[in-house]
Amino acid sequence: MGAVTVALIAIAAVALGWLTIEIACKPCLESGRNAIDRNLNPDYDPDDETLDAPLNPNNNESDNSAAAPASSTIPKEV
């Protein structure tokens, strides 16, 4: 009877430990599992995502008031 009790306690401890890790590391585990699923998907093509993406996603074309980038040359004084 003692061996069965010890085995049940050990199984419960392992299950609670697993659940704790799953809850604590949920965001990291989900992104890792999604990456694995994408890589194992035979229809997934990584080039499809990047070809349609803009080269500069933060570029705001409607904002024309932005200053011109600084030149790397020093202007001569007259």
Side-chain angles (χ1 to χ4, degrees):
M1 184 71 176
V4 173
T5 305
V6 170
L8 289 176
I9 292 173
I11 290 171
V14 169
L16 287 175
W18 182 275
L19 183 64
T20 302
I21 291 172
E22 287 284 332
I23 291 172
C25 302
K26 185 175 183 177
C28 180
L29 291 173
E30 282 182 353
S31 65
R33 288 177 180 145
N34 287 337
I36 291 171
D37 289 342
R38 267 197 323 265
N39 286 333
L40 293 178
N41 183 2
D43 296 329
Y44 172 72
D45 185 11
D47 293 333
D48 288 344
E49 290 180 4
T50 57
L51 288 179
D52 295 332
L55 294 176
N56 187 1
N58 296 328
N59 188 10
N60 189 359
E61 293 179 15
S62 65
D63 185 16
N64 293 331
S65 65
S71 175
S72 62
T73 60
I74 300 172
K76 294 182 182 180
E77 293 182 19
V78 180

